[in-house]
Amino acid sequence: MVWGFLCALLSAVAYGVASVMQAVAAKATPDDGGTGVDPRLLLRVLRQWKFVVGLLLDGVGFVAQIAALHVLPLFLVQATQAASLAVTAVAVRVFGVRLGAREWTAVGVVCAGLALLGSSAESEGSSEVALGFRLTLAGAAVVLGIAGLLVGRAGDRVRTAGLGLVAGLCFGLVAVAGRVIPSLAPLDLLRDPALYVVAVAGALAMLFFATALQRGSVTTATAMMVLGETVMPSLIGVLLLGDRTRPGFAVVALLGFVLAVAAALALARFGEPEPAAASAEEPSETEPAGRDARR
């Protein structure tokens, strides 16, 4: 179980640093001036080397996440993914953004929440589920893809929050599908519908989140993404996949989950750092430069 928790932490670090680089790349990518979700956006951001490096880090994070999902409950692994925002908040110091007392407190609360979750979680094995469950996940990926396209055509206020939520649900779907893959042998993987759910849902998540980052408030998009990727898969793990806590530790686990996710939401504004020079007009230590000007 210890090595699984270490894999979850490695995943959070990789995702946290990747999110900084990808957000910077998304904002630096010229907008085509159109409306809705444009799949060509991924092709444009791939011209930004920071986005490519971010994708490589995402790959490292994904492998570590899958390893963690095979020995830890979904509620612990997904709360750890939300805690990647604490890594993001620390990482943006490289861009000259200063963290105030509130931000450092939130980072500490994230760590405390994860400690409570880690102490309360029961080790889990890879769950065996029927083919029908895997096909349901595939159907969910299709529904989320359609929902994301429809939300992308909504007004600005609804679009950013909606795309962030749909992207988070897609990331959560990736986690659930990765959890139910019983074998990583190449031939077994190719025959498992869950593998294709991981690929499709992952691509949709990146597309919708990149669109939300480019055209809306990063704080709103990131916060909604965190909610989508933590709450839904955690409930599925508890209700359908047999995730559980150690005897007598259910309240501790719930408290740890709430603390970790709430503190991560408090750090959502660090999803998009900007150079310190841009904050010259806002010298306050508690007003980071990463705050989106269009909010």
Side-chain angles (χ1 to χ4, degrees), residues 57-229:
L57 288 172
D58 277 338
V60 173
F62 176 72
V63 172
Q65 181 184 8
I66 293 299
L69 284 168
H70 280 246
V71 294
L72 297 175
L74 272 161
F75 63 78
L76 173 55
V77 177
Q78 293 311 106
T80 306
Q81 305 316 303
S84 66
L85 285 173
V87 178
T88 299
V90 175
V92 296
R93 286 179 62 94
V94 176
F95 294 84
V97 177
R98 296 176 298 169
L99 273 64
R102 288 178 299 177
E103 287 75 34
W104 282 118
T105 299
V107 171
V109 172
V110 166
C111 296
L114 291 181
L116 290 175
L117 277 171
S119 66
S120 61
E122 189 80 272
S123 296
E124 301 289 338
S126 179
S127 301
E128 291 289 340
V129 298
L131 177 62
F133 185 87
R134 290 174 164 79
L135 294 178
T136 300
L137 294 180
V142 174
V143 170
L144 288 175
I146 295 173
L149 292 175
L150 292 176
V151 170
R153 295 182 175 276
D156 290 345
R157 297 180 63 180
V158 174
R159 181 177 60 202
T160 300
L163 285 176
L165 178 60
V166 174
L169 291 173
C170 288
F171 281 128
L173 194 60
V174 169
V176 174
R179 164 70 183 276
V180 302
I181 293 176
S183 172
L184 298 181
L187 290 180
D188 293 335
L189 279 175
L190 291 175
R191 292 194 294 263
D192 195 333
L195 173 66
Y196 303 100
V197 173
V198 168
V200 173
L204 289 174
M206 287 191 294
L207 173 60
F208 295 148
F209 194 51
T211 303
L213 288 176
Q214 186 188 50
R215 296 176 179 172
S217 164
V218 172
T219 300
T220 300
T222 304
M224 296 305 293
M225 183 268 292
V226 168
L227 289 176
E229 74 171 349

Side-chain angles (χ1 to χ4, degrees), residues 23-24 26-28 97 156 159-160 209-223 267-274 278-279 282 286-295:
V24 172
K27 282 297 186 182
V97 177
D156 290 345
R159 181 177 60 202
T160 300
F209 194 51
T211 303
L213 288 176
Q214 186 188 50
R215 296 176 179 172
S217 164
V218 172
T219 300
T220 300
T222 304
L267 294 169
R269 57 181 165 177
F270 290 99
E272 180 203 7
E274 294 178 1
S279 63
E282 299 180 17
T286 58
E287 293 292 331
R291 187 171 302 207
D292 193 282
R294 286 174 290 181
R295 256 190 336 152

Side-chain angles (χ1 to χ4, degrees), residues 14-67:
Y15 283 144
V17 177
S19 68
V20 175
M21 305 191 76
Q22 289 169 347
V24 172
K27 282 297 186 182
T29 302
D31 194 337
D32 62 0
T35 59
V37 176
D38 182 6
R40 293 173 297 179
L41 172 62
L42 287 180
L43 297 178
R44 295 198 297 273
V45 295
L46 283 173
R47 299 172 186 170
Q48 303 279 345
W49 69 267
K50 291 180 181 178
F51 192 86
V52 175
V53 173
L55 284 181
L56 294 176
L57 288 172
D58 277 338
V60 173
F62 176 72
V63 172
Q65 181 184 8
I66 293 299

